[in-house]
Amino acid sequence: MSGPMLLVDGVDVAYGRTTVVHGVTVEVPADGVTSVLGHNGAGKTTLLRAAAGLLPASAGRVLLDGEDVTALPPNRRVARGLAYVPQGQQSFGQLTTWENLQVVADGRRRGRALIDESLDLFPALRELLGRAAGLLSGGQRQQLAIARALITEPRLLILDEPTEGIQPSVVTEIERTIVDLTRRGGLSVLLVEQHVGFALDVAGGYYVLASGRVRASGAGGGAAAVDVRSAMAI
């Protein structure tokens, strides 16, 4: 039986002398989705940045598909199949939608095919290929950010608050895409969310963080919503 695609194992993360993530363990199964929930300041983004290598773990370890990557910088984690989409619908605002995709695809053997595959997942972007990314709506920029990440052909996709500030129709589209991709196999997703319904609908498992510690965990699905909201109310 294969192990998890990602194991964050007893990790501490600090800013200077202040530890903000305390002994957190989170597991993302192969071809599965794990959601991390919690209020602002719970340590969710800090945890993701440590998983991606953007912040060092001061204790514990990070394993990617069984390999200890704790000491590896972000680019070497990316080379091993990790893609990180940070909070805030980030894009190159002065470049067109097409150019945003092309800059990632350049130099890849299947570059054009990968762009087409990402556009198949978010077909609304096809009508916006000539528009500057800075002129897109928040939901369109979020779809573009995820499409760009998928061009790298990741095995693990890390998403930080992908539904923040976007319209419900786009939330539904992103949810459908995450479910479809993981069902195909070959992709695992670590998702940070405050939108409890979305997070539990797409995830096989969840963790609730508060003050940098895991307060609750369990299987995903709508039935877990009461437990999650109770844990977040503590």
Side-chain angles (χ1 to χ4, degrees), residues 104-233:
V104 181
D106 275 348
R108 296 183 178 275
R109 183 176 56 83
R110 298 180 56 246
R112 180 56 190 264
L114 291 167
I115 291 176
D116 286 339
E117 289 168 12
S118 70
L119 291 171
D120 287 343
L121 294 168
F122 298 108
L125 293 178
R126 290 190 181 276
E127 300 178 4
L128 304 166
L129 292 177
R131 184 175 299 180
L135 300 179
L136 301 180
S137 70
Q140 291 163 347
R141 286 196 305 273
Q142 187 62 276
Q143 291 178 84
L144 176 57
I146 297 172
R148 289 176 62 221
L150 291 172
I151 289 173
T152 68
E153 298 183 280
R155 293 183 297 147
L156 173 69
L157 178 63
I158 298 179
L159 300 173
D160 191 357
E161 301 275 13
T163 71
E164 182 184 38
I166 62 177
Q167 59 268 41
S169 62
V170 178
V171 172
T172 301
E173 186 77 4
I174 291 172
E175 179 178 337
R176 178 195 60 77
T177 300
I178 291 172
V179 171
D180 287 351
L181 286 169
T182 53
R183 281 179 178 168
R184 292 180 194 178
L187 180 69
S188 302
V189 177
L190 176 59
L191 169 70
V192 152
E193 261 298 331
Q194 291 192 60
H195 190 307
V196 173
F198 172 85
L200 295 179
D201 284 346
V202 300
Y206 72 86
Y207 297 82
V208 177
L209 292 191
S211 301
R213 292 178 169 85
V214 175
R215 297 301 189 193
S217 63
V226 172
D227 291 338
V228 168
R229 290 191 171 96
S230 176
M232 290 176 68

Side-chain angles (χ1 to χ4, degrees), residues 7-91:
L7 176 62
V8 178
D9 184 19
V11 162
D12 289 1
V13 188
Y15 289 102
R17 297 182 179 180
T18 303
T19 299
V20 294
V21 169
H22 307 266
V24 167
T25 295
V26 167
E27 183 175 314
V28 182
D31 302 333
V33 183
T34 294
S35 290
V36 177
L37 302 105
H39 296 299
N40 288 334
K44 305 184 305 296
T45 293
T46 299
L47 177 68
L48 292 195
R49 288 174 61 82
L54 296 167
L55 286 172
S58 52
R61 58 185 186 151
V62 178
L63 275 66
L64 182 61
D65 199 15
E67 179 185 2
D68 191 335
V69 298
T70 312
L72 294 187
N75 63 310
R76 293 182 63 186
R77 299 189 197 196
V78 169
R80 284 160 172 76
L82 182 150
Y84 174 48
V85 180
Q87 190 175 9
Q89 303 115 29
Q90 296 187 15
S91 62

